[in-house]
C-alpha cells in the first residue's frame, strides 16, 4: 500500500476522525504498465474535509462536500449530549482504483477553500520528484498564503458570490418583478462599473494536508 505522510499546519491538529480510509493492493496487478490499477482506495467521509486523487494533472476522483447548507458542514457529535449533530450514518462512501504515479490529497476545508484544483495540480507536478511530505507542506503553505491574501479570489469567495448571484441577492437590492437584482450587477451590465466579488479574499481556517504518492 502507498505510504501516507501526515503534515499538520496551524493550531488545529486534524486526525481525520470524521474520515476512514482503506487501501489494499490489487491482486495480480503489482507490476507492469502505469495504466494498470495497483491498489484501491476506499473512503467514508463526513463533513467538508475530503480527499482528491490527482492523475496526470487532473482530478480523477473526489469526495463530495457534505453541508446542511452553504458554509455549514456536517459534523460528528454524540447525539446523547448534542441535540443537533451528525452521526457516522451520514457518511458518504466511495472508492477508486489507483495507478502508479497517482497522488492522493486529503485535506481540511482550509486547503480546498483557498487553493483551486489547478493550483494543487501545479504544486504536485512541481514537487513530483520530492517526498509526499514535501508535497503536503507545499500545498499547506500555499493555502496559508492564499488565506491571508485580501485580494485573492479564493474558491470559497467564488462559490459564495455565485450562490448570491443565483439567488438574486446581496448588497443593495432593487426589487423588480418580484425578484432581487443587485445594483452591483446592474451597473456592471450597463458598463458603468466592473462587477466585483464582495467576498474577495482568502478564508482563514484550519489548514491540514495529508499526501500519499502511489509507487
Amino acid at each position: 500500500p502507498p505510504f501516507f505522510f501526515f503534515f499538520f499546519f496551524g493550531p488545529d491538529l486534524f486526525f481525520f476522525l470524521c474520515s476512514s480510509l482503506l487501501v489494499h493492493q490489487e491482486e495480480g496487478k503489482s507490476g507492469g504498465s502505469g495504466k494498470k490499477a495497483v491498489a484501491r482506495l476506499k473512503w467514508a467521509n463526513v463533513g467538508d474535509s475530503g480527499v482528491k486523487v490527482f492523475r496526470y494533472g487532473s482530478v480523477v476522483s473526489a469526495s463530495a462536500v457534505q453541508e446542511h447548507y452553504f458554509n455549514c458542514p456536517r459534523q460528528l457529535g454524540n447525539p446523547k449530549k448534542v441535540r443537533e449533530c451528525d452521526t457516522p450514518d451520514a457518511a458518504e462512501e466511495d472508492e477508486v482504483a489507483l495507478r502508479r504515479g497517482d497522488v492522493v490529497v486529503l485535506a481540511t476545508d482550509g486547503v480546498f477553500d483557498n487553493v483551486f484544483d489547478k493550483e494543487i495540480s501545479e504544486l504536485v507536478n512541481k514537487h513530483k520528484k520530492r517526498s509526499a511530505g514535501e508535497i503536503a507542506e507545499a500545498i499547506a503553505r500555499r493555502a496559508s498564503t492564499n488565506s491571508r491574501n485580501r485580494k485573492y479570489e479564493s474558491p470559497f469567495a467564488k462559490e459564495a458570490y455565485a450562490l448570491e448571484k443565483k439567488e438574486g441577492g446581496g448588497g443593495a437590492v432593487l426589487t423588480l418583478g418580484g425578484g432581487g437584482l443587485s445594483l452591483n450587477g446592474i451597473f456592471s451590465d450597463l458598463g458603468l462599473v466592473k462587477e466585483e466579488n464582495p467576498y474577495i479574499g482568502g478564508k482563514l481556517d484550519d489548514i491540514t494536508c495529508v499526501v500519499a504518492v502511489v509507487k
Side-chain angles (χ1 to χ4, degrees):
F3 171 72
F4 282 87
F5 182 93
F6 288 79
F7 177 77
F8 298 111
F9 191 94
D12 297 323
L13 297 184
F14 180 68
F15 294 101
F16 283 91
L17 293 176
C18 58
S19 302
S20 65
L21 292 166
L22 173 64
V23 180
H24 65 85
Q25 194 169 9
E26 292 279 77
E27 294 183 3
K29 295 184 179 181
S30 58
S33 171
K35 293 184 178 181
K36 291 184 178 180
V38 295
R40 296 194 70 82
L41 171 66
K42 298 182 179 180
W43 68 76
N45 183 66
V46 176
D48 55 359
S49 296
V51 54
K52 295 185 179 184
V53 180
F54 290 81
R55 178 180 300 155
Y56 303 125
S58 300
V59 177
V60 294
S61 186
S63 58
V65 175
Q66 287 187 293
E67 298 176 314
H68 293 285
Y69 50 86
F70 180 68
N71 204 29
C72 180
R74 291 186 177 277
Q75 294 185 342
L76 291 179
N78 186 340
K80 294 182 180 180
K81 297 182 178 181
V82 182
R83 179 179 298 179
E84 295 183 6
C85 66
D86 296 298
T87 65
D89 293 336
E92 291 188 0
E93 300 180 39
D94 205 348
E95 64 179 277
V96 61
L98 298 176
R99 300 178 184 176
R100 297 187 187 282
D102 285 354
V103 176
V104 182
V105 177
L106 299 92
T108 57
D109 57 323
V111 173
F112 294 135
D113 281 346
N114 285 298
V115 189
F116 289 96
D117 290 347
K118 182 179 180 181
E119 289 182 86
I120 295 177
S121 178
E122 290 172 350
L123 289 170
V124 167
N125 185 61
K126 180 180 179 180
H127 299 280
K128 61 184 178 182
K129 294 184 179 180
R130 299 186 178 184
S131 68
E134 290 174 304
I135 296 174
E137 182 173 355
I139 294 171
R141 291 191 181 280
R142 175 65 63 85
S144 178
T145 299
N146 288 351
S147 72
R148 291 177 277 108
N149 185 344
R150 297 182 178 181
K151 296 183 179 180
Y152 174 66
E153 189 172 26
S154 63
F156 180 85
K158 291 194 70 171
E159 185 178 357
Y161 192 30
L163 182 62
E164 178 182 281
K165 292 174 69 175
K166 181 179 179 180
E167 295 180 349
V173 176
L174 292 177
T175 301
L176 298 175
L181 295 176
S182 69
L183 291 176
N184 189 21
I186 293 174
F187 291 152
S188 175
D189 291 340
L190 294 174
L192 300 177
V193 297
K194 180 180 179 180
E195 188 170 7
E196 296 182 355
N197 185 338
Y199 305 103
I200 200 75
K203 178 174 178 279
L204 292 173
D205 209 335
D206 55 302
I207 294 173
T208 302
C209 186
V210 182
V211 166
V213 179
V214 183
K215 299 294 186 178

